[in-house]
């Protein structure tokens, strides 16, 4: 989870020291969250492979 929270912590620290950079930090944070989602988001629907594994694990 450090991959997600470390950049956000850094942006919060910047805003604490330089409040005038808040708008820039918010744009950067939004870009970070979108990129993180593209890289690490899971599919909502389980694949056929995952369904087969689930059935095996319940027996």
């Amino acid at each position: 989870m450090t991959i997600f929270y470390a950049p956000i912590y850094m942006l919060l620290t910047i805003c604490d020291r330089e409040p005038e950079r808040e708008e820039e930090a918010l744009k950067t944070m939004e870009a970070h969250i979108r990129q993180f989602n593209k890289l690490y988001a899971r599919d909502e629907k389980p694949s056929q492979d995952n369904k087969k594994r689930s059935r095996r694990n319940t027996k």
Side-chain angles (χ1 to χ4, degrees), residues 2-49:
T2 302
I3 295 169
F4 181 76
Y5 289 111
I8 293 173
Y9 179 77
M10 181 194 68
L11 291 167
L12 287 171
T13 303
I14 289 170
C15 286
D16 281 345
R17 289 183 307 198
E18 302 174 57
E20 67 276 4
R21 293 182 64 187
E22 181 180 349
E23 188 175 335
E24 171 193 352
L26 287 172
K27 289 178 183 176
T28 304
M29 188 181 316
E30 182 177 352
H32 164 64
I33 292 169
R34 290 181 187 280
Q35 180 66 25
F36 185 89
N37 192 41
K38 285 180 186 175
L39 292 172
Y40 298 105
R42 295 182 188 178
D43 292 335
E44 291 296 318
K45 297 177 184 175
S47 68
Q48 287 298 102
D49 234 15

